[in-house]
Amino acid sequence: MNLRLIGIGAGVLIILSLPLAGAIAGPDFAGQGDGKGGGLLASLGLSHSGAPDAAHPAGDPARPGPPEQPRTDARCGPELSAPQGLEAQTCVLVSEGRTWGRSYYRNTGGRALDAVLTVMGPAGRTVQIHCAVAAGDEPGLCETPREESAGAPGAYSAVAEFAVPDDEGRLLLRSGSNSPAPTGG
C-alpha cells in the first residue's frame, strides 16, 4: 500500500510540475512558437544549445535585456554640511554631448528649504532651476535640464544654494562642483 501511495504521489508531482516546465520553456514548449525559440534561455540571449543566439548578436536592439547605458562623466565638489542638518554635494555631468548640473542633498533639519541650482558654461551660458527641498532623512536631488555642450567639460561649473523659504531667504549652504575641500580651520 505504501508503494501505491508513493506512485500516486509521484504522478501528482509530475502533473503539477508540467505547467511550471511550460512556463520555463516558454511559448515553444507546446510547439506553438514563432520559430525564434522562446522561454528562459532565449530571454537570457541564449539558444537552446547554450551559445549566444545567432539571430540577435550582442548589441542588437532586438536582443532582450536592458539597453547599454551611455557613459556619464561627473565632476563633483566635496560633500558639505550645515549645522542646521543639511548635507549637499554638487556636480557637473556630461554624457552624449550634453551637460547638466545635479545637487545631491539630505535635509534632516526638520524644515522645508528652497534650493537654486545654477550651471555656468562657456561664453556666459547659464541654466538655473529652483527646487523644493523637503525635510526628512531621505536623500534627494535637484537637477537642471540637459543642454547641448558648448565647450570642454572643465569649462562648466555648478553651484547649489540652499536657503530658508521666507522673506529673508537666509542662506544655509552653498555647494559647488569645483568647491575647495573644507579645511580644519
Side-chain angles (χ1 to χ4, degrees):
M1 199 147 158
N2 285 339
L3 291 177
R4 178 186 257 175
L5 288 177
I6 291 172
I8 291 173
V12 168
L13 284 176
I14 290 171
I15 290 171
L16 292 175
S17 66
L18 286 177
L20 177 62
I24 291 172
D28 286 345
F29 178 72
Q32 302 171 354
D34 57 6
K36 294 181 182 176
L40 184 60
L41 292 177
S43 69
L44 295 173
L46 301 173
S47 68
H48 294 289
S49 67
D53 189 351
H56 301 292
D60 184 352
R63 184 185 181 112
E68 196 171 305
Q69 296 296 317
R71 177 185 167 102
T72 300
D73 293 320
R75 195 178 77 254
C76 300
E79 293 180 31
L80 301 174
S81 61
Q84 297 84 0
L86 177 65
E87 301 170 352
Q89 182 178 31
T90 301
C91 305
V92 171
L93 300 131
V94 178
S95 180
E96 296 187 314
R98 297 192 173 277
T99 303
W100 68 101
R102 181 183 293 166
S103 187
Y104 302 94
Y105 61 83
R106 183 180 307 235
N107 178 16
T108 61
R111 162 178 208 182
L113 302 173
D114 286 335
V116 177
L117 175 60
T118 306
V119 176
M120 295 151 289
R125 294 175 57 150
T126 303
V127 176
Q128 189 175 70
I129 189 164
H130 295 259
C131 298
V133 177
D137 196 32
E138 293 299 315
L141 65 89
C142 180
E143 185 173 277
T144 66
R146 299 171 187 208
E147 300 288 332
E148 290 291 326
S149 298
Y156 286 85
S157 61
V159 174
E161 297 177 312
F162 296 85
V164 176
D166 59 15
D167 292 334
E168 296 175 24
R170 184 171 49 108
L171 182 64
L172 300 178
L173 182 66
R174 180 178 288 131
S175 169
S177 62
N178 56 350
S179 298
T183 60

